Amino acid sequence: MAFNSAAIEEFQDIWVFCEQREGKLMNTDFELISEGRKLADERGSKLVGVLLGDNVQGIAKELGGYGADKVIVCEDPALKDYTTDAYSKVLCDVVMDKKPEVLLIGASNIGRDLGPRCAARLHTGLTADCTHLDIDMDKYIQYLKEGSTLDVDSMTFKMEDTNLKMTRPAFGGHLMATIICPRFRPCMSTVRPGVMRRAPFDQAKADACEIELVKPVLGADDIRTQVLEVVKETKEIVDLIGADVIVSVGRGINKDTAKGIELAKKLADALGGGVVGSSRALVDAGVMSADHQVGQTGKTVHPKVYVALGISGAIQHKAGMQDSELIIAVNKKATAPIFDVADYGICGDLFSVVPMMIEAIEEAKASK
């Protein structure tokens, strides 16, 4: 029977494409499997991981520990290294055969290449760079009440709607748009790394996870590119998502950017091996590189301690850090929105305040 993406009644189950590199699963896989578990429970369906590679069956069970009921493993030497041709052919073949209702892909470099190719072949839609997902309408309405300025109580909703509701930043992060794909399946979304919470690992669930082996059909005509060598970039990239302490800087350091960044680094070190983040304004100005950016159009972080120096707290920035365990804000303006989400707020010039913070931290360490 020919594949028909419009025959939506034939599709079921929540799928997650699980990216591996050199035989190692990515952190984004565990985040998406954890989120997929919630969606599958809302929908009353199975959660299935899809793993492509060469000799990767041994790592598949780990996905079960985060919630996958089953993992479909496609192994072939041609899948050892990622190529658009091979991966899109194999993934689309499996989707056409088994017909999942939802397909989630991490918004990594690979995912951003693979997702649109597959969506075009499958004749369905794709929502890119999502930061929130819902199926259950009650949960979606609650999300709107907590995370938007809409007058939700005055709005009318189609409560029986079971489409995947995919929310993403729009217009440079100034708006949030929720998109549905009501006429075609699977509903496809690439999801930004770091925005979904990873569930605790459960060894019993990992042991119970079903593994299904699927032999890919790949011919020479299917692959037009060949990976001759993989060369890793030596540039040092800051790991915001994995950091326990982040000290971010904003426009408030503009009167002396070099000194402001230096103070942020010293404060991050004093707090215990922290890293320096940035608001979008400094990245756009070329002061900080993009890998430092926190916010809807940067990275979403959940550190134990987040310090905002000279950051006013635009909604785009707050959306990327407001779930941090402890938030400390330093800003000259008492009305800065960043204070709305801060656990501790200091109204003052960061160039005066931060040295005192560092001194106080060092004294507290010495007293112990």
Side-chain angles (χ1 to χ4, degrees):
M1 183 182 296
F3 178 78
N4 180 7
S5 61
I8 63 174
E9 69 281 354
E10 298 177 0
F11 292 75
Q12 61 181 354
D13 295 339
I14 310 296
W15 280 22
V16 174
F17 169 74
C18 298
E19 180 182 333
Q20 59 81 26
R21 299 190 186 188
E22 297 181 345
K24 181 181 179 182
L25 294 169
M26 301 289 99
N27 286 332
T28 312
D29 300 336
F30 309 133
E31 295 169 6
L32 288 188
I33 288 290
S34 301
E35 183 66 17
R37 180 70 269 162
K38 298 177 186 176
L39 298 177
D41 290 342
E42 290 178 22
R43 195 71 177 94
S45 60
K46 286 187 176 182
L47 175 63
V48 180
V50 186
L51 181 61
L52 277 59
D54 183 33
N55 193 28
V56 292
Q57 182 181 347
I59 61 175
K61 284 274 188 180
E62 186 176 2
L63 297 166
Y66 294 97
D69 297 305
K70 180 169 75 171
V71 179
I72 296 173
V73 179
C74 304
E75 291 185 322
D76 191 282
L79 300 174
K80 182 178 184 296
D81 296 309
Y82 175 80
T83 61
T84 305
D85 295 334
Y87 271 60
S88 58
K89 166 71 165 57
V90 172
L91 184 56
C92 286
D93 283 350
V94 179
V95 168
M96 289 178 180
D97 179 46
K98 299 185 180 294
K99 299 180 181 178
E101 180 181 9
V102 171
L103 176 58
L104 306 179
I105 300 175
S108 62
N109 291 336
I110 286 177
R112 285 173 171 157
D113 178 67
L114 179 65
R117 296 289 185 123
C118 291
R121 288 192 182 194
L122 297 170
H123 302 288
T124 189
L126 171 74
T127 304
D129 275 4
C130 290
T131 57
H132 187 83
L133 300 170
D134 276 305
I135 289 179
D136 182 82
M137 183 57 78
D138 288 324
K139 292 183 178 179
Y140 175 62
I141 293 172
Q142 187 62 34
Y143 163 70
L144 292 180
K145 287 181 177 180
E146 295 174 355
S148 77
T149 57
L150 297 172
D151 183 8
V152 178
D153 291 331
S154 67
M155 300 170 65
T156 301
F157 296 91
K158 186 178 179 182
M159 299 305 296
E160 64 274 17
D161 181 8
T162 58
N163 288 292
L164 178 66
K165 298 151 199 60
M166 301 168 279
T167 304
R168 58 149 295 160
F171 294 98
H174 293 281
L175 293 175
M176 297 298 287
T178 297
I179 300 167
I180 63 173
C181 184
R183 295 189 297 125
F184 301 99
R185 294 291 184 270
C187 299
M188 289 187 59
S189 169
T190 58
V191 181
R192 189 170 296 174
V195 301
M196 304 302 178
R197 290 293 186 99
R198 181 199 297 200
F201 179 80
D202 188 325
Q203 186 60 52
K205 290 181 179 179
D207 295 337
C209 181
E210 177 187 352
I211 305 298
E212 179 180 350
L213 298 178
V214 174
K215 181 61 180 174
V217 180
L218 280 172
D221 294 338
D222 295 321
I223 304 175
R224 290 168 293 180
T225 57
Q226 182 180 0
V227 178
L228 300 179
E229 183 183 9
V230 177
V231 179
K232 294 184 178 181
E233 189 176 13
T234 57
K235 178 183 175 182
E236 184 177 349
I237 303 295
V238 63
D239 180 17
L240 289 176
I241 294 176
D244 287 333
V245 176
I246 299 175
V247 179
S248 286
V249 289
R251 282 196 181 98
I253 69 167
N254 277 346
K255 71 177 184 181
D256 191 341
T257 56
K259 184 178 179 181
I261 294 171
E262 181 185 0
L263 285 173
K265 289 179 179 177
K266 288 182 177 179
L267 180 57
D269 289 339
L271 288 169
V275 299
V276 176
S278 169
S279 68
R280 178 174 177 172
L282 295 188
V283 173
D284 288 347
V287 176
M288 303 289 283
S289 59
D291 56 303
H292 289 82
Q293 184 178 332
V294 175
Q296 283 178 350
T297 51
K299 293 184 175 71
T300 301
V301 297
H302 313 97
K304 293 179 179 178
V305 179
Y306 186 89
V307 184
L309 303 179
I311 296 175
S312 63
I315 189 170
Q316 302 96 313
H317 186 82
K318 289 195 292 185
M321 46 64 72
Q322 61 189 0
D323 290 332
S324 303
E325 293 183 23
L326 177 68
I327 300 173
I328 303 169
V330 180
N331 200 290
K332 289 194 296 185
K333 294 183 178 179
T335 57
I338 193 68
F339 290 130
D340 295 338
V341 296
D343 297 290
Y344 297 96
I346 303 173
C347 186
D349 185 347
L350 70 91
F351 290 96
S352 300
V353 172
V354 174
M356 290 190 287
M357 292 176 68
I358 295 171
E359 182 179 354
I361 293 169
E362 296 297 347
E363 288 179 357
K365 286 180 178 179
S367 66
K368 292 182 179 180

